[in-house]
Amino acid sequence: MSSSSLESLISRAESLLQRLEQVLPQPLQQPDWNASIAFRYRKRSSGFAGQTGVLEPVRHVAEMRLEDLQEIDGQKERLVRNTEQFVSGRTANNVLLTGSRGTGKSSLIKACLHAYAPQGLRLIEVDKGDLVDLPDIAELVAGRPEKFIIFCDDLSFDEGELGYKALKSMLDGSVAASTPNVLIYATSNRRHLLPEYMKENLSYTHTPDGEVHPGEVVEEKISLSERFGLWISFYPFSQDEYLAIVHQWLRSLEVPEGEIAAADPQALVWALERGSRSGRVAWQFARDYAGRRGQA
C-alpha cells in the first residue's frame, strides 16, 4: 500500500471517529451555576444514538415568599426546619409532600428555595421520566459547595416505569444516596406513589389475634413512600381558611384593605364554580380581581 493510500485511510478513519463522537451520548456537563438558583434537567437529541441530558438554568424563577403562604403553618414549620438543617450542613431528610391539589405543596418548596438561596441552596427539577438519570445528576454535583434539592413535582408511577427503581435506589441503598449535598423533595396527590388495585387486598394475611400483614405486592408499593424520611401531609381548606388565603393574596397584589373583605362573596362564587377551595384557586381569584380592579 502506498503512503498516499495509507494517509487517505487514516484520514477517513479519523473522520469516522469524529462523526461517531458527535452522535454518541455525551456525559452530563457542569452548567453555569451562577446563571440561576434553579435548573431543569432535560434530554436533547444527540443524533442516532438517542438523547443527552443537560441542565438548563431557569431564567425567571417564580417569586414565592414563605410569609405569602397562609393556613399551612404546621407544614411550613416542618419543611423550613428540614431545609435549614440541610443548608447548615446538618443531617436532614428527603421529603414527600402529599395531599389535596392546590394546597401549597410545590409553592412551599419554591418559597424555601428563595429563602435559602443566599446560603447556597439550589434546585434541580427532574421529570419523573428522567429519574433514571438521578445517579448521573448526583455525581455531577457531588463536589460542589452548594446544597441541591432535586425536585420531582406531581410524582406518581405506573406499573413498570423505569424511574421507580432509580428513585427507590437513590432514596435508600445506593452509593449516590450518601451524597451529603443532595436531597430529594417530591410532591404527590397520593401517599402511595404506585397504583393500587382491589385484587391486591387479597394478598393480606390475618393472624388468629387479628393482626394484619400486607402481601408482597402491597409491601413493595408502600416501600417507596417509606424511603422518604419526612412525610408532610396537606388537607383541603375550610371556607374561613380559603378566605384568609384570598385576603393574603389580595394584599400582596396591593388591593386596598377596605376592599378586601368586600371581595369575599365573589371569592366564594369563584371557588364554587371551580369546585375547590384550594390555595391555587384563591391565588387565581386574587389575580382576576386585582386585574379587573385595575381596569375600572
Side-chain angles (χ1 to χ4, degrees), residues 10 35 41 95 123 169 267 274:
I10 293 174
Y41 180 74
V95 185
L123 182 143
S169 178
R274 297 295 298 272

Side-chain angles (χ1 to χ4, degrees), residues 165-184:
K165 294 293 185 182
L167 178 59
K168 185 176 178 182
S169 178
M170 179 79 175
L171 289 169
D172 184 20
S174 75
V175 175
S178 63
T179 305
N181 67 334
V182 174
L183 283 183
I184 296 175

